[in-house]
Amino acid sequence: MRRLVSTAALALLAGGIAAPALAQTPPATIGERYVPAPWWMRDPVIASMGFVRTEVQANRAGFSATFQVVDRSATDASRAAADRVRALSQALAAYGVDKVRVETTLTTRPLYDQYRDESGVLRDNVRSDRIERYQADATVSITIRDITVLERVYATVLASSPTSVGQVGFNLEPDNELITWLSGEAVKDSANRARAAAANAGASLGPVRVIDPTGRACQTDVLAGWPSYSSGGGLATTVDSSEVVVTGSRARSVAAPPPPPAPPPPGTAPSEAQIEAARLALQPPLRQITDSACVVYGLSN
């Protein structure tokens, strides 16, 4: 009977039924006197956690502008608002979707006659027969995928005389080249830390046992029944990314700008002089990006 139970247990293990439960269970109970070590700790090793950081100029930007029109009818208000953004949308679309993406939305709402109640509070007389006018808002949402055209695009929008313009927001979307480079720097940092630690302890590095880009091999709590995968500690090493991502700003003249020309008529794109007059300095900020890696080395005296 005991043999049948053992065979059934082996069948469950071979079929993978018990595998998910075992994967969640550490190989030892916290508090036990002896804890089995991972395979790469059978001999003296040093597990070194590389942690690097760098600052890269933001490569994405976005903002929105609203053109508001009030008219007697909803149709007239919507048409007038659409006319104000049509030429601007066409001018921005000319940059191409790889540089500038434009999304235009149009909303219309009624403006009611107002009255004061017995407390003197001004309220809307929300009735269909008390609509005085209609307000149409044409909103242009712009995403800049090429930072080099940000200032000109922003100036073009300002020169179009919008009712309101939102704040420019920046963010960083690392490309594959930057991600790969930073991952390599993390491995180099782990090697430098391991080499220094071994030298300070009077030992020398042996062959590489494990290279773990996730860093979990360096976060196992062997004393409490691994794996625990606690968060990595220590300060990040700052690395220079100037050779990978070009950053910097163009030199600018400090002379006083000329007086702004008259705004363009509704439905027409702003002229070159109007765009230059509305141009502002928009310096993309730096964004921090980090990466980590774990490398386990053997040790020799």
Side-chain angles (χ1 to χ4, degrees):
M1 186 66 177
R2 183 176 303 170
R3 180 179 180 82
L4 291 176
V5 172
S6 177
T7 303
L10 289 175
L12 289 175
L13 289 174
I17 298 177
L22 292 176
Q24 301 298 325
T25 306
T29 303
I30 295 178
E32 283 191 359
R33 182 176 181 182
Y34 299 106
V35 178
W39 66 267
W40 43 265
M41 292 186 65
R42 305 287 172 80
D43 300 319
V45 296
I46 177 172
S48 178
M49 187 72 180
F51 189 30
V52 293
R53 63 177 293 274
T54 190
E55 289 185 333
V56 181
Q57 180 178 267
N59 60 352
R60 297 288 188 271
F63 65 97
S64 62
T66 300
F67 297 80
Q68 187 177 100
V69 176
V70 176
D71 211 317
R72 288 290 182 180
S73 70
T75 302
D76 292 341
S78 300
R79 183 183 297 112
D83 289 341
R84 294 193 61 183
V85 300
R86 184 175 294 107
L88 174 62
S89 298
Q90 293 173 354
L92 298 180
Y95 286 97
V97 295
D98 58 326
K99 294 184 178 181
V100 179
R101 293 179 180 265
V102 183
E103 179 183 354
T104 304
T105 58
L106 182 64
T107 60
T108 305
R109 69 183 186 92
L111 300 178
Y112 297 95
D113 181 26
Q114 294 181 326
Y115 67 95
R116 293 188 182 275
D117 60 14
E118 60 276 5
S119 301
V121 179
L122 192 64
R123 298 185 182 278
D124 288 339
N125 195 357
V126 185
R127 290 168 42 185
S128 60
D129 61 336
R130 304 300 294 180
I131 297 176
E132 284 196 338
R133 287 179 174 82
Y134 288 88
Q135 174 182 309
D137 294 320
T139 301
V140 181
S141 300
I142 303 166
T143 302
I144 308 296
R145 301 177 61 86
D146 184 353
I147 291 296
T148 60
V149 302
L150 170 61
E151 291 184 3
R152 181 173 176 82
V153 169
Y154 191 75
T156 302
V157 174
L158 290 181
S160 300
S161 301
T163 305
S164 63
V165 181
Q167 181 180 0
V168 179
F170 295 92
N171 68 295
L172 171 65
E173 292 185 10
D175 56 15
N176 293 334
E177 181 182 1
L178 176 60
I179 293 174
T180 302
W181 171 81
L182 196 60
S183 177
E185 292 299 312
V187 174
K188 292 179 184 178
D189 185 59
S190 64
N192 293 335
R193 297 189 187 213
R195 192 175 297 108
N200 291 334
S204 58
L205 291 182
V208 175
R209 300 289 183 87
V210 175
I211 299 178
D212 181 11
T214 69
R216 295 190 304 173
C218 290
Q219 298 167 9
T220 55
D221 195 346
V222 181
L223 300 180
W226 62 280
S228 66
Y229 304 137
S230 59
S231 60
L235 299 177
T237 301
T238 301
V239 292
D240 182 15
S241 62
S242 59
E243 296 182 359
V244 180
V245 178
V246 178
T247 61
S249 60
R250 299 186 300 274
R252 304 184 186 279
S253 174
V254 296
T268 61
S271 65
E272 189 67 26
Q274 291 166 339
I275 294 175
E276 289 301 321
R279 195 152 183 162
L280 299 174
L282 296 173
Q283 181 66 39
L286 297 178
R287 293 287 187 256
Q288 178 176 294
I289 181 173
T290 63
D291 201 357
S292 61
C294 172
V295 181
V296 180
Y297 295 90
L299 284 178
S300 57
N301 296 327

